[in-house]
Structures are given as C-alpha cells and as structure tokens.
Amino acid sequence: QRQMCIRDRFSALSEKCGIEIHRAETRILGVNLKNRWDRLAERFLQSSMVVLNQLHCDAEGRKIFYSIDYLNTDIIDLSLTREVSE
C-alpha cells in the first residue's frame, strides 16, 4: 500500500505538472526514538524499521520534492555496497 502512495505522487506530478522523477538522493538512517516522527512511525508499524530521507530530482537534477519514508525491515532487505576510489 505504501508503494502505491509513492507511485501516485509520481503519476500526479507527471500527469498534472509534466514533471518526471528520474532519481532520488537517499540517506538511510536508523530510528531515533527522541524524534517525535520516528516514535509515531514505530507505534504505527510495530516492528523494526529504517528511515529513508530522500530528495527526488528530475532528469536535469532539479530538486522536486523531499520525502521521509519509514520502511518495515521485517518485509524488506536493504544492502549497501561501498567502494574505495583512488
């Protein structure tokens, strides 16, 4: 259901404004129970979670909108690869 909300946002931007989202700059954060929104999300999801802070951009790199998404880690698996550049 959450994924549908994201698709709906992207569809509305495309259909009503002619804006296509091409990428998102994402920060993956742990939950901070001192943060009011994190506590509310924890109560709602009732499971372990991670927080995605995302800045969605169009094809030219213009910043279109910012989102904070709480992902239930019981139903997703995230992996991250870090490379050392010379």
Side-chain angles (χ1 to χ4, degrees):
Q1 185 177 13
R2 175 72 179 142
Q3 189 64 30
M4 283 303 291
C5 293
I6 292 169
R7 280 192 210 124
D8 290 345
R9 281 187 262 170
F10 289 175
S11 294
L13 278 171
S14 177
E15 293 169 11
K16 295 180 182 186
C17 305
I19 297 172
E20 299 285 337
I21 300 299
H22 285 268
R23 68 182 175 90
E25 299 171 8
T26 303
R27 291 181 61 213
I28 302 170
L29 304 170
V31 175
N32 177 359
L33 294 180
K34 293 179 181 178
N35 179 306
R36 176 178 178 246
W37 296 110
D38 288 7
R39 287 193 312 272
L40 288 171
E42 181 189 47
R43 254 186 261 150
F44 177 76
L45 291 175
Q46 298 181 353
S47 69
S48 56
M49 63 186 165
V50 293
V51 183
L52 298 185
N53 285 358
Q54 300 185 92
L55 183 57
H56 301 270
C57 303
D58 66 9
E60 287 78 39
R62 290 182 294 235
K63 299 167 183 164
I64 304 301
F65 72 92
Y66 178 78
S67 68
I68 300 173
D69 297 304
Y70 292 89
L71 301 180
N72 178 340
T73 57
D74 292 341
I75 58 173
I76 63 151
D77 181 27
L78 294 174
S79 62
L80 177 68
T81 303
R82 296 176 65 190
E83 293 183 14
V84 178
S85 60
E86 296 181 30

